[in-house]
Amino acid sequence: MTGSSPLSALVAALADGSVEVVDLTSPLSASTPVIQLPPEFGQTAPFALAEISRYDDRGPAWYWNNFTSGEHTGTHFDAPNHWVTGKDLADVASVPASRLIAPAVVLDFTAEVEKNPDFLVEVDHLKAWEAENVPLPAGGWLFVRTGWDTRSHSQEAFLNADENGPHTPGLSPECARWVAQESPVLGMGVETVGTDAGKAHSFDPPFPCHSYLMGSDKYGLTQLQNLAELPPTGAVVIAGPLPIVGGSGSPARVLALVERG
């Protein structure tokens, strides 16, 4: 790298703090909230570690573990083949690496969600934001901030379910269709357990974010943290799922590069 190259400039900016790395990832542990489906369906496994050795007779100089986890546990990446509408599209290992680094915009609906946990984002909300800010980024991410990451310490608070099912925010069916089929973004990121609202099982189509996004060869990022630390525009996101061959998704380390000062 030469002193004047873009990569050299980035390295210098990271070193002097003018570009900050913000971790958008929820730490993975046995207490990480996981989605709960009706009992007639298969269930995801919670994250768990199984010790192989820890500086003992099983391995005197090293510590390591096996782990078990669902693909869609914690902060994770949804690949197109995750949903039946995208069943013939890419698995998570086939997502081009060039699409894992992209700009992002952050739309803040925390005030609305504080009043109504079932709040739904509509197309008009997105168009009004574009009119006041910039167009949604071509080949970038749409991040929906709701403040839901503050609930991630508790499975009960995070799912926020009662006898009628979970109550969490998301997109309306028409908004999900518009984001998937008419907007230029490559995917959507949320702070909730999945890209769909808690009541999305009763929408038409059911779970429209999954149905439309996956069917349009777009992606999802879920259980994001620290979106409050990102500006509405200007962040660059690095999403790093494991390249699981045949996998429908993967836990991911998601980082954002943000200019400061």
Side-chain angles (χ1 to χ4, degrees):
M1 292 186 294
T2 65
S4 60
S5 74
L7 288 179
S8 294
L10 175 60
V11 170
L14 290 168
D16 67 23
S18 57
V19 170
E20 179 185 358
V21 180
V22 179
D23 197 345
L24 306 183
T25 314
S26 176
L28 268 176
S29 73
S31 62
T32 296
V34 295
I35 195 168
Q36 290 183 335
L37 300 180
E40 63 267 27
F41 298 119
Q43 305 294 326
T44 190
F47 182 83
L49 288 178
E51 190 174 277
I52 302 171
S53 69
R54 193 178 182 104
Y55 327 120
D56 52 29
D57 56 3
R58 299 169 298 171
W62 52 91
Y63 165 57
W64 58 339
N65 304 284
N66 290 316
F67 70 85
T68 57
S69 175
E71 294 174 326
H72 300 267
T73 296
T75 303
H76 65 268
F77 187 101
D78 291 346
N81 71 335
H82 176 43
W83 213 250
V84 63
T85 51
K87 63 184 179 66
D88 297 321
L89 300 176
D91 66 2
V92 69
S94 301
V95 174
S98 60
R99 303 193 85 188
L100 299 177
I101 303 176
V105 296
V106 182
L107 280 63
D108 185 359
F109 297 101
T110 53
E112 291 85 347
V113 172
E114 284 179 3
K115 298 175 183 176
N116 176 18
D118 290 314
F119 174 78
L120 298 178
V121 180
E122 302 287 353
V123 176
D124 286 348
H125 291 120
L126 302 186
K127 291 186 175 181
W129 186 91
E130 285 186 304
E132 295 180 4
N133 294 276
V134 296
L136 298 183
W141 290 99
L142 165 63
F143 284 171
V144 178
R145 182 184 168 217
T146 58
W148 213 257
D149 59 336
T150 62
R151 295 170 172 257
S152 63
H153 64 284
S154 163
Q155 171 89 1
E156 182 179 4
F158 201 67
L159 298 188
N160 197 36
D162 59 19
E163 65 276 7
N164 298 313
H167 297 275
T168 61
L171 271 57
S172 73
E174 174 56 23
C175 189
R177 187 204 63 78
W178 186 86
V179 169
Q181 298 179 359
E182 297 189 37
S183 87
V185 300
L186 61 74
M188 183 180 72
V190 299
E191 298 165 322
T192 46
V193 72
T195 53
D196 274 294
K199 299 193 299 183
H201 58 85
S202 63
F203 292 172
D204 183 17
F207 305 103
C209 285
H210 283 84
S211 181
Y212 288 127
L213 284 170
M214 308 294 98
S216 299
D217 199 25
K218 294 188 176 183
Y219 313 126
L221 286 173
T222 74
Q223 289 185 246
L224 296 172
Q225 301 266 309
N226 301 321
L227 292 186
E229 297 183 27
L230 304 189
T233 65
V236 174
V237 169
I238 303 167
L242 299 173
I244 302 169
V245 175
S248 70
S250 167
R253 190 73 180 261
V254 183
L255 308 174
L257 304 182
V258 179
E259 290 188 44
R260 301 299 191 196

